[in-house]
Amino acid sequence: MLGIPVGLITANAVEWVVHKHVLHGWGRRRGTFWAFHFHEHHRAVREHDFRDPNYQRFPLGLHAQGKEAWALIAGSAAVAPLFPVAPFFVGTLWYSAANYYRVHKRAHQDPRWGRQHLRWHYDHHMGRNPNANWCVTRPWFDYVMGTREFMAADRHETNVLGMPRLPRWLQRRLPKPQALGRVVPAEPPAAVRRQTRARPR
């Protein structure tokens, strides 16, 4: 049973590492397998106010959403040989891969839901700094690694676990999100930026 919490922590750490170093590291180079995330997904989300209409496509095609699904399937297959010795750990990793795809897809099909339930991921895409807020399902490793940035001081998750229905006694014992994260104001709208640049000195 210890494999379950270890699996959840491992999956969240992998989310952070892969998003930061693979999808935004190798993925910045056009023409690589991983470029789909930075050059296609990010662009679509910014153009459609957090919605990615490409999630309507068949999920296993050779496009951004298909590559995301194939990468999760490949990762799940890679840990399969460990199942006989660590079934709870591997089962939790499989659950985490499926849950990642489910919540990521839902967030970008229903931006209102995404903004409410994955505030950290909303801030990753819609905030001023796309090089922060690397976690998707839960913000754990963003807090651990100091990469949680809020778009607004008054809009963030109620606890560092990113879980809305925690018992009060546990919520009181956890550090406050605002104590561990930092506020980076959202970029002003394009019209305001144009007015500011045009203003005479």
Side-chain angles (χ1 to χ4, degrees):
M1 295 292 279
L2 184 61
I4 295 173
V6 173
L8 291 171
I9 292 166
T10 301
N12 195 256
V14 168
E15 268 184 38
W16 191 94
V17 169
V18 170
H19 197 173
K20 178 174 171 40
H21 297 291
V22 177
L23 299 178
H24 281 247
W26 301 342
R28 281 186 185 269
R29 293 195 310 245
R30 288 185 184 275
T32 66
F33 174 85
W34 304 106
F36 71 87
H37 176 82
F38 191 78
H39 294 286
E40 185 180 330
H41 177 57
H42 268 260
R43 185 180 68 244
V45 168
R46 292 295 282 200
E47 286 174 1
H48 297 97
D49 198 24
F50 199 60
R51 185 183 307 278
D52 188 343
N54 296 318
Y55 271 106
Q56 302 300 327
R57 299 185 287 192
F58 177 65
L60 297 179
L62 291 176
H63 46 68
Q65 290 66 37
K67 288 180 179 180
E68 176 182 57
W70 282 116
L72 291 166
I73 291 167
S76 298
V79 298
L82 296 174
F83 188 80
V85 290
F88 288 105
F89 175 71
V90 173
T92 302
L93 292 181
W94 289 344
Y95 157 79
S96 298
N99 186 55
Y100 175 97
Y101 187 82
R102 181 187 68 82
V103 300
H104 193 220
K105 178 178 180 176
R106 182 172 180 186
H108 290 299
Q109 287 185 317
D110 182 356
R112 197 162 156 199
W113 183 91
R115 185 172 185 167
Q116 183 181 353
H117 292 90
L118 301 181
R119 183 69 215 192
W120 47 92
H121 191 55
Y122 184 89
D123 289 350
H124 170 72
H125 279 289
M126 305 308 291
R128 185 174 288 185
N129 182 12
N131 295 310
N133 303 311
W134 302 110
C135 294
V136 174
T137 57
R138 300 286 179 205
W140 304 343
F141 265 78
D142 279 315
Y143 283 114
V144 169
M145 303 302 287
T147 53
R148 179 67 179 103
E149 291 186 356
F150 312 121
M151 251 172 60
D154 61 338
R155 283 194 225 126
H156 51 70
E157 53 277 12
T158 57
N159 59 74
V160 295
L161 297 181
M163 300 169 80
R165 291 184 292 276
L166 283 181
R168 270 200 198 141
W169 65 266
L170 178 56
Q171 196 136 261
R172 281 197 302 270
R173 284 164 176 73
L174 291 170
K176 302 292 181 221
Q178 55 270 36
L180 299 179
R182 60 184 183 275
V183 177
V184 177
E187 214 171 356
V192 174
R193 290 199 303 273
R194 282 197 298 274
Q195 289 171 4
T196 305
R197 283 198 296 268
R199 191 177 296 153
R201 295 181 183 273

